[in-house]
Amino acid sequence: MKQIAVIFEGEINKRLGVFNAVINRVKHLQEIADYKIDVYMFEVYDGWLMRRLRHSPKEDWRPDEIESNGIKVHVTWFRRRWGDVIMHRFFHQPPRAMLRRLHRLGWEMRGYDLVSAHDRIAGHAATFASKHLHIPCFITWHGSSIHTQPVQDDITKEMTIKQLKQVNCNFFVSQGLLDKARAEITSDFRAELLYNGASAQFQRYSDERRKELREKYGLRAEDKVVAYIGLFAPVKNVTSLPEIYQKIQQKSHQPITFWAIGNGMQLTEVQQLMKSKSINCRFFGKVTHTEVPDILNCVDLLVLPSRQEGMPLVPIEALSCGARVIASNVGGSAEAVGRDNAIDLGENFVDRFTSRAVELLKGDIVQQVPQDMNWVATAEKENRIYHQYLDSND
């Protein structure tokens, strides 16, 4: 039996996004292929002074192992070092202490037949293992490691170029993200598309269950729910939400209920802007991953006005639950929601966005999850690619 190691950076208390994608990839690959797959996650934490400066929470619970959806995850804890922060930020040098710890993690890959990492930081451990242990290496690129970090920092860009060229194959979660990598970083690398999918709990409930949930959340039968789900941060363009909600309210001739789900640095700012525009929006804050499918089964229209994306999971999950979705045309959003429902950023963006939003709220337009965006199809393709390298190494 072939042995595969999967490495990623995550947070034990935030099991969405990349964390969710990794667990689903591993789970579905195990179901169709005879591999022994071990999952390694590292989490970076701050000491006392760094917590004060960065306003980060204290992690009192630091387990060596956790379980998610039946998948065992080995956890390594990396303390953020002052020297790394100072050398990188002020002297534009690589974070050497972090790299040394990632290289030690790379040595732990001894005995594996293949190593697969998610995004650039985990990629350091994987490429180190590949070089020194002579095993095939793959990196999956999800979003900011391509569309944001290399653009903002020359050292990061240099490291990203090296990794893209060094691995046996790069996996991208959308064609849009792959195109951006080739246009803005380097075109000299091998790549394949591996789309994300929705977890099994994201499905359209029965009409009876949906009615019960709407009553639970205080909705009337005639209410249309427009919602945003995600991080409240500049990259998500969340400060446009108050104007988007206001114009949907003005253009639509039906009762609208506005929701916003999530947390982040700009949450308070968005709340204040909503209040200044007299928008009655319910802010849920951070919700558990088990509550999200219930919420999405109450949503009529999900809005995602992001400035950057890789392949966001939430539109795939929303469509699976029967909601309609409108997004900005960035990353792989158009691949998920359809080109007509992906609005170009730029002049009059909010007007164009809200006009299409009102059309979607009428209910005449059918949206479905694209056929390739499911975990079974992804696992089958991943398995075929892995076998090309595993068979050649025998």
Side-chain angles (χ1 to χ4, degrees), residues 88-366:
H88 192 187
R89 182 170 297 181
F90 297 105
F91 296 97
H92 306 291
Q93 295 296 313
R96 301 190 188 283
M98 172 64 80
L99 290 175
R100 284 195 296 271
R101 289 193 291 275
L102 289 167
H103 292 166
R104 286 200 294 271
L105 181 58
W107 281 119
E108 294 183 29
M109 303 302 106
R110 191 186 303 275
Y112 287 100
D113 298 290
L114 181 151
V115 60
S116 178
H118 289 258
D119 284 327
R120 175 180 48 82
I121 299 179
H124 287 298
T127 52
F128 181 88
S130 178
K131 178 180 178 181
H132 293 275
L133 302 176
H134 309 292
I135 54 179
C137 172
F138 302 79
I139 298 179
T140 299
W141 303 92
H142 290 270
S144 61
S145 282
I146 292 295
H147 63 54
T148 300
Q149 295 163 6
V151 177
Q152 295 176 341
D153 183 83
D154 289 340
I155 295 175
T156 300
K157 184 173 183 178
E158 181 181 336
M159 290 179 171
T160 304
I161 292 172
K162 185 176 180 180
Q163 288 182 345
L164 286 165
K165 294 182 177 183
Q166 187 173 350
V167 300
N168 293 90
C169 187
N170 296 277
F171 297 141
F172 285 80
V173 295
S174 75
Q175 184 66 51
L177 193 64
L178 172 54
D179 291 344
K180 194 169 188 70
R182 287 208 158 117
E184 299 186 11
I185 301 177
T186 179
S187 60
D188 184 17
F189 59 86
R190 183 183 172 188
E192 295 282 352
L193 285 180
L194 281 184
Y195 283 119
N196 293 328
S199 301
Q201 67 265 33
F202 291 95
Q203 55 182 292
R204 184 182 173 92
Y205 297 165
S206 67
D207 290 343
E208 182 179 356
R209 177 62 177 148
R210 286 164 70 92
K211 182 180 178 182
E212 290 174 356
L213 285 169
R214 288 178 66 87
E215 290 174 354
K216 170 187 171 181
Y217 289 113
L219 298 168
R220 301 170 299 177
E222 65 270 22
D223 288 336
K224 295 288 187 179
V225 178
V226 176
Y228 167 81
I229 300 180
L231 185 66
F232 282 77
V235 71
K236 299 296 185 179
N237 197 20
V238 287
T239 54
S240 69
L241 282 174
E243 187 179 2
I244 286 171
Y245 281 7
Q246 183 183 52
K247 292 201 171 185
I248 289 176
Q249 187 170 260
Q250 291 169 349
K251 293 178 180 181
S252 180
H253 302 291
Q254 51 191 326
I256 305 289
T257 295
F258 296 106
W259 287 356
I261 300 96
N263 215 333
M265 66 178 73
Q266 289 189 304
L267 176 58
T268 301
E269 182 181 358
V270 173
Q271 289 173 324
Q272 292 171 346
L273 287 169
M274 290 286 190
K275 186 176 180 180
S276 70
K277 292 182 178 295
S278 301
I279 302 297
N280 185 15
C281 177
R282 177 175 178 178
F283 288 87
F284 285 70
K286 182 182 176 182
V287 300
T288 65
H289 68 279
T290 56
E291 192 176 357
V292 177
D294 290 352
I295 290 172
L296 286 173
N297 267 275
C298 296
V299 171
D300 294 282
L301 178 66
L302 184 76
V303 298
L304 297 171
S306 306
R307 291 193 177 97
Q308 297 279 10
E309 287 290 357
M311 171 52 76
L313 274 172
V314 67
I316 303 170
E317 294 166 346
L319 292 171
S320 299
C321 292
R324 293 177 177 82
V325 184
I326 183 169
S328 52
N329 185 24
V330 293
S333 294
E335 296 163 62
V337 305
R339 183 64 186 89
D340 290 342
N341 307 309
I343 310 303
D344 293 335
L345 293 168
E347 189 176 356
N348 299 321
F349 167 70
V350 171
D351 283 328
R352 291 180 283 109
F353 191 94
T354 53
S355 293
R356 183 59 175 176
V358 171
E359 290 177 3
L360 288 169
L361 277 171
K362 292 176 183 177
D364 300 328
I365 298 167
V366 177

Side-chain angles (χ1 to χ4, degrees), residues 28-41:
H28 285 83
L29 185 59
Q30 283 183 329
E31 289 175 353
I32 67 162
D34 189 24
Y35 297 129
K36 181 182 184 298
I37 305 177
D38 292 327
V39 182
Y40 296 85
M41 185 189 93

